[in-house]
Amino acid sequence: MSTRGKPRILLMHYILDPGPAILAEAGEVVPYPPDRPLDEASIRQAAEGCTGIVSQLMDPIRETVLSTPGLKIVSNVAVGFDNIDVAAATANKVMVTNTPGVLDDATADFAFTLLMTTARRVVEADAFTRSGQFRGWEIDMMLGADVFGATLGLIGVGRIGRGVAHRAKGFNMRVLYYDPNPLPPDAEQQLGATRVDLGRLLAESDFVSVHVPLTQETHHLLSTPQYGQMKKTAILINTSRGPVVDEAALVEALNAKKIAGAGLDVYEREPAVHPGLVVLPNVVLAPHIASATTRTRSEMSAMAARNMATAVRGGRPPNLVNPEVKR
Ligand code: DGY
């Protein structure tokens, strides 16, 4: 609580309208000093006396932070919350919220954008054209991979994976999926998606797109053995979390031509990108922008602010990740 009796809310980073107004109405907003490092000890120091923290995916919110006396809620401005130790939050009776749903379409659009861009070598073609190398049409210039009618393998069919499957229908793609939780039969039928094991998905897909959260089980889900199972012509797309993909092994697989290319929005050690990826022309690299449309980022900001406002007023925020804290 602040001296004026309003709950103090630590805002780790700038958020978009209408988020700031919602937060200002709910409490006293304390911006995290922009020049302070994002380590646990520094965040803990800034969180002293705060009831809530509005965090983003680059903020390590672990035991050191979660044990801050008086802390009631961490509202993450993201659907993923692997930056937060939820078990430690629950043990400290701290609510954790996220922003599900509002970013599904933007993220699915972007997964498809990466798929198309990588398949048809758009980034290479743009650089080629800008640099004045285009001297006229050539029969074998910038040959790429067909998308229409190809096989798409989805690893994970939560909301975003299903969104990608939906888009794939328009491209007449055969859709395979791997997920421990099968889709209901009517959803499978509607999306034209067939559940298979990971080995078959990797062996048969022209494009493999990853849509799973980062957990202990999904860490390095794709590594050397899995790349070895993929078609030599296959393209890997990752818009989920970097560490799901073993990046060093991916560089090796690309260099050894075990697979044909990759379109990546996320990295193992963001913002660092494996130097072996940067030099490869058959890889498209984006700076974690899959949800970055004006509307989506604004809705994420609003949703995170509303989660915070509800919690500091004593309510149960709608997007509670650890409901056992607030029965
Ligand atoms: C998320 O929400 O988890 C994305 O990675 C950022 O939009």
Side-chain angles (χ1 to χ4, degrees):
M1 282 283 177
S2 75
T3 43
R4 281 172 280 157
K6 280 181 113 186
R8 282 165 71 93
I9 299 168
L10 177 63
L11 180 63
M12 292 298 298
H13 312 270
Y14 172 78
I15 58 172
L16 298 188
D17 287 336
I22 297 169
L23 290 179
E25 179 128 6
E28 182 191 342
V29 179
V30 184
Y32 191 75
D35 48 353
R36 193 178 288 185
L38 290 177
D39 59 71
E40 288 181 57
S42 307
I43 300 174
R44 162 71 189 240
Q45 209 186 2
E48 292 290 347
C50 291
T51 306
I53 302 176
V54 180
S55 59
Q56 296 189 15
L57 52 87
M58 55 287 199
D59 305 327
I61 309 289
R62 316 250 177 242
E63 172 65 27
T64 314
V65 178
L66 293 162
S67 57
T68 308
L71 185 67
K72 296 260 174 315
I73 169 165
V74 177
S75 169
N76 215 34
V77 193
V79 66
F81 45 86
D82 46 279
N83 59 309
I84 303 172
D85 182 340
V86 177
T90 306
N92 284 284
K93 299 197 169 26
V94 175
M95 292 177 266
V96 175
T97 61
N98 68 341
T99 62
V102 291
L103 47 79
D104 300 346
D105 281 327
T107 306
D109 281 350
F110 197 74
F112 224 85
T113 304
L114 277 180
L115 186 156
M116 297 289 293
T117 309
T118 313
R120 297 306 305 273
R121 304 173 60 179
V122 176
V123 175
E124 270 181 273
D126 179 86
F128 180 86
T129 311
R130 280 172 201 270
S131 64
Q133 295 176 73
F134 179 36
R135 306 243 188 275
W137 192 87
E138 287 173 48
I139 193 96
D140 61 349
M141 186 166 50
M142 296 272 160
L143 300 181
D146 285 304
V147 176
F148 193 84
T151 297
L152 170 66
L154 296 170
I155 301 184
V157 282
R159 288 179 308 266
I160 297 170
R162 290 200 301 275
V164 177
H166 194 188
R167 284 151 181 78
K169 277 183 86 173
F171 281 80
N172 198 30
M173 293 177 97
R174 171 177 172 240
V175 178
L176 305 177
Y177 77 94
Y178 165 71
D179 196 306
N181 303 309
L183 289 169
D186 57 332
E188 279 193 355
Q189 205 185 7
Q190 201 199 348
L191 292 169
T194 306
R195 185 167 179 242
V196 293
D197 61 30
L198 184 58
R200 181 165 162 212
L201 180 141
L202 295 170
E204 295 187 16
S205 298
D206 300 304
F207 300 93
V208 173
S209 190
V210 186
H211 303 284
V212 290
L214 175 61
T215 62
Q216 274 175 1
E217 290 72 41
T218 63
H219 183 264
H220 284 192
L221 183 65
L222 297 182
S223 188
T224 305
Q226 289 72 36
Y227 303 134
Q229 286 174 280
M230 290 170 70
K231 290 183 178 181
K232 287 194 173 12
T233 50
I235 288 175
L236 173 68
I237 305 298
N238 189 10
T239 51
S240 64
R241 283 291 183 268
V244 175
V245 163
D246 181 341
E247 238 169 47
L250 175 62
V251 170
E252 261 175 47
L254 287 162
N255 280 318
K257 307 217 178 316
K258 283 189 189 160
I259 66 170
L264 306 173
D265 186 45
V266 288
Y267 306 92
E268 268 204 84
R269 280 167 279 277
E270 290 181 18
V273 179
H274 193 295
L277 290 171
V278 176
V279 294
L280 291 175
N282 50 341
V283 173
V284 174
L285 304 171
H288 205 148
I289 56 165
S291 67
T293 69
T294 308
R295 184 186 61 79
T296 298
R297 288 282 168 89
S298 160
E299 287 187 8
M300 289 166 69
S301 300
M303 193 177 223
R306 275 190 233 108
N307 284 333
M308 175 59 69
T310 306
V312 297
R313 289 183 183 125
R316 187 178 195 274
N319 309 111
L320 194 52
V321 165
N322 54 347
E324 54 276 39
V325 171
K326 188 94 183 165
R327 290 245 171 252

